Amino acid sequence: MSLAGQCYYRTCRTRPGRGVARATVATLRRLGMFRAFKLPLDALALPHFATRSLMTLWSRIHWMGGDGMMPPEQMLSLYRLAVSWPGDGDIVELGAWTGLTTCYLAAAAKARGSGHVYAVDTFTGTKEGSESYAAVARYGGSTWATFRKRVRTAGLADRVT
């Protein structure tokens, strides 16, 4: 991870740092900068406990590479929904692929202090006709190892089954 990334994530985990980052981003946007660049700046609008959890997640997995099936804006929306859900129940994710969204959901459960994520997947892709999903070949026929590594690296293995 770059030094700038480390500093940003570390700073935004604290209340004063988050406040400074929010004010700076708001000023820069008023000046016409960063309007098209949403993430990770939009995460600063979340409550402090949710921002802190998300910054911890990003500092661990943001630079891992690999693909997710969902654009970052949608993952942040799922995170927002999961972290602000009024109940304290568990989360079931149907289709986990390489675990990126799973990590967002588990980080949200951890931030709100309750819940567990159950990720359901074959980890071998889907079949279209008699052909397997081509992207699975990049993972040697299964995304399971990548999924496990990502969840462990994120420090969320205790929240994911």
Side-chain angles (χ1 to χ4, degrees), residues 38-113:
K38 300 287 185 195
L39 294 174
L41 305 175
D42 285 352
L44 297 172
L46 294 166
H48 176 68
F49 74 95
T51 300
R52 184 178 60 236
S53 179
L54 193 58
M55 293 301 157
T56 300
L57 174 67
W58 282 347
S59 70
R60 293 177 179 167
I61 69 168
H62 182 73
W63 304 102
M64 275 184 76
D67 63 320
M69 298 295 260
M70 197 178 292
E73 296 83 10
Q74 288 178 3
M75 283 191 282
L76 185 57
S77 292
L78 274 179
Y79 179 83
R80 270 194 192 114
L81 286 170
V83 84
S84 63
W85 192 256
D88 61 355
D90 295 331
I91 299 167
V92 176
E93 179 186 24
L94 301 177
W97 189 239
T98 61
L100 188 58
T101 307
T102 308
C103 289
Y104 274 72
L105 293 170
K110 187 174 184 175
R112 72 178 192 206

Side-chain angles (χ1 to χ4, degrees), residues 106-107 109-111 113-118 155-161:
K110 187 174 184 175
S114 67
H116 191 85
V117 176
Y118 293 90
L156 297 166
D158 62 327
R159 292 268 178 188
V160 176
T161 300

